[in-house]
Amino acid sequence: MTEITKLQPACSQCNLQELCLPIGLSETELSLVDSLVDERRKIARGEAIFRSGDRFTAIYAVKLGFFKTEVLSEDGRHQVTSFYMPGEVLGMDGISAETHHCDAIALEDSEVCLIPFHELETISVKVPTMQRHLHRVMSREIVRDQGMMMMLGAMRAEERVIAFLLNLSQRYAARGYASTDFNLRMTREEIGSYLGLKLETVSRTFSHLQEEGVLQVEKKRIRLVDTVRLKKMLSQDRL
Amino acid sequence: MTEITKLQPACSQCNLQELCLPIGLSETELSLVDSLVDERRKIARGEAIFRSGDRFTAIYAVKLGFFKTEVLSEDGRHQVTSFYMPGEVLGMDGISAETHHCDAIALEDSEVCLIPFHELETISVKVPTMQRHLHRVMSREIVRDQGMMMMLGAMRAEERVIAFLLNLSQRYAARGYASTDFNLRMTREEIGSYLGLKLETVSRTFSHLQEEGVLQVEKKRIRLVDTVRLKKMLSQDRL
DNA sequence: ATGCCGAATTGATCAAGGTCAACAACAAGG
DNA sequence: CCTTGTTGTTGACCTTGATCAATTCGGCAT
């Protein structure tokens, strides 16, 4: 199911460029990057880019589609740790031990650009802008995880759901997609796992927010009706 | 309160070397590192190395003492996101936006080595081993955070407390300290914040584990009596 | 069509952990 | 010495979200 495509017009042509790459690369630097990212891979819905324990060789930029990452502990427990949309980079968990620590699974038919990591490190040496960019991307992941810990540790169910939706919305906005009207790519169960809640709680919270008139839910279709009030509900709630 | 010490015998002499630095550096490489890390800073208990919003200039290796990092959201909520002991590196949250996103506070009188980040990036270009090491350290932080999310999202109170204690124990062991008999540097409230629990719950759980006979608690003094059973309680609990 | 399966919704009940409160131990400072 | 503040322990009670269960809806294969 995993088809490999070479000879794509690479990064220099890609409309996600400003998300994946540092701004202000020279022509020569861009062509270096083009030679680095020479492979694109299609991942069918439900398939994994990599699984926990797989040898780490590359990081992946989402070109198209949607992914979740999931960690599993010794005793069958598992938890969704992130969702990734186009322009986002995943797989950096593998660097530390040359082995991935989570599964990365496509939530719909997707495409990723494969960035061989050791080559990336090599290029980083020649192109300092690239190195700094890499560090920023990794650091951003750390900051995001901290926010996530904050959410899991300090927020109640309703707040978590709101924070989740607002975060999605903001990321869609950043990509130029509709930010108040979108389709969820994941199930209630996956949302619940991500938020540390049960799927029933997620469902109930959606219903409740709809009754409140701040949200419209119809299956996977979400419409944020009153983002201002949603934001208020986030910050006021647990005063 | 924050006293600065120059002219210390630097990394090449430090007994934490193998925790902070990549193994197998040549003499010349080591001397490069020595020139990089030229400042040590004493931080008194309760003082911050940096605070949220501070401009990011360096990362810090704990030389001695104990730290917590804490994120605070717009609405006065705050949460402990990590504890750091000697040989561990903190501050990498600041890289992404050149600004720190959390407070780093000493839990006891401590000392850190200051590693100017841009200089570190410069040296990384010349010493690939150093670059790879940096990437690993950052990635390790990402993996650790994922584990934390797992804990916050999927474990019950007792499991979280056990996981916390076993993790401390294992880190002490790695440093050659007593791993089954140690003093907690943080309050019950800080533990609770870290684990997404209230301090009363932490206290009750300690008491309960003591009744079970797997643990001895006397104020801050912890003695792990039966680590084997503790590990079992972790994995079996929520079967 | 029909039947089946996965996803979602909703209700009833229950338990884990939060909240509130009283109190003990201990350190710091007058 | 007593006072005051911080930290920790324990109890009684309550709330949030989990659990269990019934039902619906839509897609897909036969």
Side-chain angles (χ1 to χ4, degrees):
Chain A
M1 201 58 40
T2 302
E3 175 189 315
I4 295 173
T5 328
K6 297 245 176 194
L7 48 85
Q8 299 287 343
C11 304
S12 52
Q13 307 299 323
C14 174
N15 59 337
L16 292 169
Q17 208 183 119
E18 75 282 4
L19 289 164
C20 299
L21 291 179
I23 41 172
L25 283 186
S26 70
E27 294 254 329
T28 35
E29 288 171 338
L30 251 178
S31 72
L32 258 178
V33 177
D34 275 352
S35 68
L36 170 69
V37 183
D38 69 338
E39 189 180 310
R40 219 144 92 195
R41 196 172 287 182
K42 294 193 184 194
I43 315 282
R45 175 185 174 143
E47 298 286 314
I49 314 181
F50 54 79
R51 292 194 177 274
S52 188
D54 283 2
R55 181 162 177 74
F56 167 79
T57 59
I59 58 178
Y60 305 86
V62 180
K63 171 83 179 161
L64 195 136
F66 224 91
F67 289 87
K68 68 172 174 185
T69 50
E70 210 167 23
V71 280
L72 8 108
S73 64
E74 322 72 54
D75 54 321
R77 253 179 297 210
H78 58 102
Q79 163 138 1
V80 174
T81 49
S82 268
F83 296 110
Y84 294 90
M85 56 173 75
E88 295 176 331
V89 177
L90 66 161
M92 289 171 299
D93 63 294
I95 300 168
S96 69
E98 304 264 329
T99 298
H100 285 289
H101 289 77
C102 60
D103 294 5
I105 296 172
L107 294 177
E108 54 185 35
D109 292 354
S110 301
E111 246 178 272
V112 293
C113 302
L114 203 146
I115 308 169
F117 190 71
H118 290 308
E119 298 179 33
L120 174 57
E121 280 184 325
T122 308
I123 288 193
S124 290
V125 168
K126 294 185 210 134
V127 187
T129 327
M130 198 67 210
Q131 188 195 33
R132 294 188 56 189
H133 184 70
L134 171 62
H135 294 165
R136 278 169 195 236
V137 171
M138 291 183 74
S139 171
R140 207 182 302 146
E141 181 108 0
I142 292 172
V143 173
R144 212 163 52 77
D145 288 352
Q146 283 187 347
M148 198 59 208
M149 284 159 58
M150 171 93 202
M151 175 153 109
L152 290 170
M155 289 186 180
R156 40 176 61 269
E158 190 177 270
E159 297 174 294
R160 292 184 205 184
V161 172
I162 294 174
F164 168 69
L165 291 175
L166 288 177
N167 174 264
L168 270 189
S169 164
Q170 174 251 306
R171 281 152 76 196
Y172 278 129
R175 261 141 268 268
Y177 299 143
S179 67
T180 59
D181 191 338
F182 48 84
N183 279 309
L184 295 174
R185 265 58 173 225
M186 64 297 281
T187 67
R188 303 288 191 261
E189 186 170 17
E190 285 160 338
I191 298 172
S193 170
Y194 180 60
L195 299 178
L197 302 171
K198 292 291 150 180
L199 67 101
E200 294 96 327
T201 307
V202 175
S203 179
R204 270 186 251 272
T205 308
F206 279 168
S207 303
H208 176 237
L209 291 174
Q210 188 164 34
E211 284 164 29
E212 287 285 306
V214 289
L215 198 71
Q216 278 187 18
V217 194
E218 195 195 349
K219 293 226 52 154
K220 303 255 188 199
R221 176 55 155 264
I222 296 284
R223 205 169 306 220
L224 305 185
V225 176
D226 189 345
T227 33
V228 178
R229 195 139 80 85
L230 277 171
K231 279 175 198 154
K232 266 192 214 143
M233 292 171 82
L234 236 197
S235 45
Q236 287 182 339
D237 222 335
R238 170 87 70 135
L239 233 181
Chain B
M1 202 60 36
T2 304
E3 175 189 313
I4 296 172
T5 328
K6 298 248 174 190
L7 48 85
Q8 299 286 344
C11 305
S12 50
Q13 306 300 323
C14 174
N15 60 338
L16 292 169
Q17 210 184 117
E18 74 282 7
L19 288 163
C20 299
L21 292 179
I23 41 172
L25 284 185
S26 70
E27 295 254 330
T28 36
E29 288 170 339
L30 250 179
S31 72
L32 260 178
V33 177
D34 275 351
S35 68
L36 169 69
V37 183
D38 68 339
E39 190 180 312
R40 219 144 92 196
R41 196 173 285 184
K42 296 193 182 192
I43 316 281
R45 176 186 171 142
E47 298 285 312
I49 315 183
F50 54 78
R51 291 194 177 274
S52 186
D54 284 1
R55 181 161 179 73
F56 166 79
T57 59
I59 59 178
Y60 306 86
V62 181
K63 171 82 179 161
L64 193 137
F66 224 92
F67 290 87
K68 68 172 173 184
T69 50
E70 208 166 25
V71 279
L72 7 108
S73 65
E74 322 73 53
D75 54 321
R77 253 179 295 214
H78 58 104
Q79 164 137 0
V80 174
T81 49
S82 268
F83 297 109
Y84 294 90
M85 55 173 75
E88 295 176 331
V89 177
L90 66 161
M92 289 170 301
D93 63 293
I95 300 167
S96 69
E98 305 264 330
T99 298
H100 285 290
H101 288 77
C102 60
D103 295 4
I105 295 173
L107 294 177
E108 56 185 34
D109 292 353
S110 302
E111 246 178 272
V112 294
C113 301
L114 202 145
I115 307 168
F117 190 70
H118 291 309
E119 297 179 34
L120 174 58
E121 280 185 325
T122 308
I123 288 191
S124 290
V125 168
K126 293 182 212 139
V127 188
T129 327
M130 198 67 210
Q131 187 194 33
R132 292 187 58 188
H133 184 69
L134 171 61
H135 294 165
R136 278 169 195 234
V137 171
M138 293 183 71
S139 172
R140 208 183 302 146
E141 180 107 1
I142 292 172
V143 173
R144 215 164 49 80
D145 289 351
Q146 283 186 346
M148 198 60 207
M149 284 160 57
M150 172 93 201
M151 174 152 108
L152 290 170
M155 289 187 181
R156 42 176 61 267
E158 189 177 89
E159 296 172 296
R160 293 185 205 184
V161 172
I162 294 174
F164 167 70
L165 291 174
L166 288 177
N167 174 263
L168 271 188
S169 165
Q170 174 251 308
R171 281 152 75 195
Y172 279 128
R175 258 141 271 267
Y177 299 142
S179 67
T180 59
D181 189 341
F182 49 83
N183 279 308
L184 296 175
R185 266 56 174 228
M186 64 298 280
T187 66
R188 304 287 193 263
E189 185 170 18
E190 286 161 338
I191 299 172
S193 170
Y194 180 60
L195 299 178
L197 302 170
K198 292 291 149 178
L199 66 100
E200 293 95 327
T201 306
V202 174
S203 181
R204 270 186 251 272
T205 308
F206 279 168
S207 302
H208 176 237
L209 291 174
Q210 188 163 31
E211 283 165 31
E212 288 285 308
V214 289
L215 198 68
Q216 277 186 18
V217 194
E218 194 196 347
K219 292 225 51 156
K220 303 256 187 198
R221 176 59 157 264
I222 297 284
R223 207 169 303 220
L224 304 185
V225 176
D226 188 345
T227 33
V228 178
R229 195 140 77 88
L230 277 170
K231 278 174 199 154
K232 264 191 215 145
M233 291 171 83
L234 235 196
S235 45
Q236 287 183 338
D237 222 334
R238 169 91 69 138
L239 233 178

